[in-house]
Amino acid sequence: MDDRTPVLIGAGQFTYRGEPGASPSPTALLKIAAERAALDAGLKPEALAGIDTLAVVGFTIDAPGGGRLVPHSTNPPATLAKRLGADPAYAVYSHMGGNSPQQLVNTACERIAKGETQFALVVGCEFLGSATKRLQRGLGFADWDDAEDLPEPQRIGDPRPGTTPYENAHGIGRPINCYPLFENALRARDGRSIPDHQKRLGELFAPFTQVAAKNPDAWFPIERSAEELVEVTDRNRMVGFPYTKYLNAIMEVDQSAGVLVTSLAKARELGVPEDRLVYLHGCADASDLWYPIDRQDFHSSPAMRLTGKRALEMADVSLADIGHIDIYSCFPIAVEIGAEELGLDLDDPRGLTVTGGLPYMGGPGNNYAMHSIAVMMQRLRDDPGSYGLITANGWFLTKQSTGVYSTTPLKGPFERQDPKLIQAQIDALPHPVVIEQPKGAATIETYTVVHGREGYMMGIVVGRDSEGRRFIANTPTDEATLRGLEASEAVGRTGTVGRSEDGARNIFVPD
C-alpha cells in the first residue's frame, strides 16, 4: 500500500451518567473521547499534541437561531486544541447534520491520500442532557471552563437551514413533526393498514433495543418488546403520529465519540499495532432535493440509494459481502427507506444496527454516526477481513454520507469521487410545483398529527391542489378532526384548503 493510504487507528466513546451539576463541559467531553481514542490505538494521550488536523462535529446548540443559552466556546476546535496542547494547521467545525461524522471522516481520508494531512482527530459530543437539567434547576455553569469568546472557526459542510420559512410556519421545521410525514406516506404507498403498520414499527425497532441493552455506552440499555414500543401509555405518549415516544431519537444526552485517522506511514511511525488498523474502503456524500417540500415523493431517497451504490462500488464489494451494518435510525422511516434504497430486508439476519440506534443507544445531536464508526471499528477488529457499512443522515432525510470499512488493506489508492457528480444527478430530478397560498379543492399527499404532553395539538398536511401543485397546511385543531386523521388512512382524502383568518398559514379542512 501507498504510505499515504488513510487508516483509522483508534476510537473512543464516553457516556456521562452522573449528576448534572457535575457534568463535564463540552470541551471536556471532547477531550475524554479523544484520549480514549488514543489509548485504543495503543498511544499515550500526550500523542494527541501531534495532530495536524482537527475536525469537530457541530453542537446542536449551535444550530442557526439557537442562541447561546449554554456557555461554551465560540470556537470548539480552537479550545479543544489548546486543551490537547496541539496546534493543527487545519481545524474545522461542521455545520449542522447527522451526516457530519461520516462526511468528516471521508474528508480526512481524502486529505491524507492527497498528502495534505498526516494525523487527524475527528470528534464530537452532545451535552443537552445535563445542560437542560442545569438550566431547569438553576444550577449554573460556573464549573465549565470552556466558555471562551474566540474568532469564528472555519466551517465545513452545507450551511443552509433544513427547511424554508413556509415550511416552518406550518410546523415542519421540527424533526418530530417532519419525519412522520415520510412514515405515513410510506404506509399509504404500501397499502398497509394503520394497525398493521404500527405492528411493523415495533417489530423493526425491538431488535435495536436488544443491541442497545448490550451496549455499555447506550443511554437507554433497556430491551423492550415490539408491543411496548408502540403501545400508547402515560410513559410512552404519542408524539407525532404514528410515532410514540419510544420511537423517537433522544437528543438530551451527555455523550462523546471520536476517531483518529492517519496515513499508513504515520500509523507505523507511531507504532500502532497492525491489528488496530481499520480502512475506509468506500465512501460517498450527497443530498436529496434540499427542502422537504421539493422532494419527488415522501417515501424514497435517491441520495441514500446513490451514495450507498457509490460506496460499495468504490470498495469493490457487494451488499452480500457486508458483514456488519448500521443504518441511521433517528426515526423508523430513516431505517425503512435506507434499507429499501440499499436493497436490505428489514429483518436481515445481519441486523441493521451495531450500536442500538438513536432512540436507545442515544441521539447525540449531529454526532451519532461517530459512535457507529467507533463500534464498527471494534466489530471489524473482532471479525478480521469482514466489511462494515455505515449510513449517516442529516436534517430531514436530506444529507447522506456512507462509509464501507474493513481491516482488509486497500488494494489500490484511496480515491474519493467528487460529491458533485452524484449531486448533479439528484438536482436534475423532476419535482412538483409548489404553491404557497393554495385555494379550493385539494387532496392529502401525506400528513401527521402533532401531540403535546397534554394531548392533541395540530395536524400538518402536505397536499395537492386541483392542478397538482404541492402545498403545506395545518388542519383545524378540534379533537374530532385530529382523531379522525389517526383513525383511518388519510392519504388520498379530499378537502378544501385556504388561508387562515390571520393570513399566516394555510388551513386544510377534510371532507
Side-chain angles (χ1 to χ4, degrees):
M1 285 185 293
D2 190 296
D3 282 349
R4 295 190 300 185
T5 299
V7 60
L8 283 73
I9 63 171
Q13 299 181 82
F14 175 63
T15 297
Y16 177 75
R17 306 182 191 280
E19 287 297 316
S23 63
S25 70
T27 303
L29 284 170
L30 295 172
K31 187 169 183 284
I32 291 169
E35 291 177 341
R36 290 189 174 188
L39 292 172
D40 182 61
L43 306 175
K44 293 181 179 180
E46 291 77 11
L48 295 168
I51 60 171
D52 58 21
T53 292
L54 174 58
V56 177
V57 175
F59 304 150
T60 302
I61 204 166
D62 286 337
R68 199 180 176 197
L69 297 176
V70 176
H72 62 285
S73 174
T74 56
N75 190 327
T79 300
L80 176 60
K82 183 163 55 176
R83 298 292 192 278
L84 297 175
D87 185 22
Y90 180 74
V92 291
Y93 187 54
S94 82
H95 287 291
M96 297 300 103
N99 62 303
S100 300
Q102 184 61 57
Q103 184 183 46
L104 292 177
V105 169
N106 296 348
T107 301
C109 288
E110 181 180 36
R111 289 180 57 85
I112 289 168
K114 290 180 176 179
E116 299 168 346
T117 290
Q118 292 293 319
F119 190 2
L121 167 63
V122 186
V123 65
C125 73
E126 191 51 78
F127 45 91
L128 284 180
S130 62
T132 300
K133 293 182 178 69
R134 282 180 180 235
L135 289 170
Q136 292 172 341
R137 301 176 189 178
L139 299 176
F141 299 89
D143 60 320
W144 283 13
D145 64 350
D146 61 355
E148 298 182 322
D149 290 305
L150 299 170
E152 285 290 314
Q154 179 179 342
R155 303 300 292 264
I156 187 172
D158 196 316
R160 288 178 290 175
T163 47
T164 66
Y166 174 46
E167 291 169 315
N168 294 338
H170 294 88
I172 289 183
R174 302 185 69 194
I176 58 174
N177 297 350
C178 188
Y179 277 87
L181 297 172
F182 293 89
E183 189 69 61
N184 289 325
L186 181 73
R187 181 192 63 237
R189 183 204 69 178
D190 293 345
R192 198 174 295 110
S193 72
I194 290 175
D196 284 349
H197 194 72
Q198 294 303 93
K199 181 173 182 288
R200 165 177 150 131
L201 297 181
E203 292 173 345
L204 172 63
F205 266 8
F208 281 62
T209 72
Q210 294 169 6
V211 175
K214 299 175 183 177
N215 183 348
D217 292 296
W219 194 250
F220 296 114
I222 304 167
E223 183 175 342
R224 299 189 188 277
S225 68
E227 294 76 17
E228 187 180 3
L229 292 177
V230 297
E231 181 183 3
V232 177
T233 66
D234 291 341
R235 296 179 61 84
N236 189 35
R237 67 180 181 88
M238 184 63 71
V239 177
F241 177 75
Y243 293 151
T244 57
K245 179 181 177 181
Y246 289 159
L247 299 178
N248 284 253
I250 304 297
M251 289 205 301
E252 292 186 355
V253 301
D254 297 283
Q255 295 178 302
S256 59
V259 297
L260 293 174
V261 193
T262 71
S263 65
L264 183 61
K266 185 66 175 180
R268 288 173 173 164
E269 176 190 320
L270 292 169
V272 179
E274 292 288 328
D275 63 2
R276 310 309 290 164
L277 306 184
V278 175
Y279 299 89
L280 179 64
H281 280 251
C283 65
D285 307 273
S287 299
D288 277 309
L289 297 177
W290 192 263
Y291 299 114
I293 192 65
D294 290 326
R295 304 288 166 80
Q296 299 93 321
D297 54 57
F298 287 86
H299 49 71
S300 69
S301 171
M304 286 184 178
R305 180 174 67 256
L306 293 172
T307 57
K309 181 174 181 288
R310 173 56 196 160
L312 290 168
E313 288 175 347
M314 180 178 170
D316 193 26
V317 296
S318 70
L319 194 60
D321 298 318
I322 300 296
H324 309 279
I325 300 167
D326 197 86
I327 305 296
Y328 198 88
S329 52
C330 49
F331 299 90
I333 190 63
V335 178
E336 292 168 298
I337 292 180
E340 181 174 307
E341 298 292 17
L342 290 168
L344 291 165
D345 293 330
L346 294 183
D347 60 353
D348 191 293
R350 293 169 288 188
L352 300 180
T353 183
V354 296
T355 67
L358 282 89
Y360 318 114
M361 191 296 295
N366 301 309
N367 199 52
Y368 165 78
M370 197 77 75
H371 293 265
S372 301
I373 297 169
V375 175
M376 185 66 78
M377 286 177 65
Q378 192 55 50
R379 284 282 188 97
L380 297 174
R381 289 164 172 169
D382 293 341
D383 186 14
S386 65
Y387 287 82
L389 171 70
I390 287 173
T391 69
N393 161 65
W395 282 132
F396 306 98
L397 296 181
T398 310
K399 298 186 278 189
Q400 307 300 327
S401 293
T402 303
V404 175
Y405 297 85
S406 180
T407 57
T408 302
L410 268 64
K411 298 175 183 177
F414 180 92
E415 295 179 347
R416 180 189 183 197
Q417 185 185 78
D418 188 337
K420 292 179 181 178
L421 295 178
I422 293 178
Q423 197 59 55
Q425 297 179 53
I426 296 172
D427 291 345
L429 293 171
H431 55 92
V433 173
V434 174
I435 179 171
E436 293 201 359
Q437 296 189 22
K439 185 175 182 180
T443 304
I444 296 177
E445 182 178 0
T446 190
Y447 71 103
T448 187
V449 177
V450 179
H451 293 244
R453 296 185 183 277
E454 305 304 319
Y456 288 105
M457 288 182 63
M458 66 175 177
I460 302 174
V461 165
V462 176
R464 299 294 187 101
D465 69 2
S466 58
E467 296 182 33
R469 296 172 296 187
R470 180 181 281 162
F471 65 85
I472 312 171
N474 294 129
T475 68
T477 57
D478 62 283
E479 186 168 326
T481 296
L482 299 178
R483 189 179 296 276
L485 291 171
E486 294 183 345
S488 60
E489 184 60 74
V491 172
R493 189 171 174 181
T494 59
T496 304
V497 67
R499 297 297 282 174
S500 60
E501 290 185 5
D502 62 5
R505 297 171 297 137
N506 298 321
I507 301 295
F508 176 88
V509 180
D511 290 337

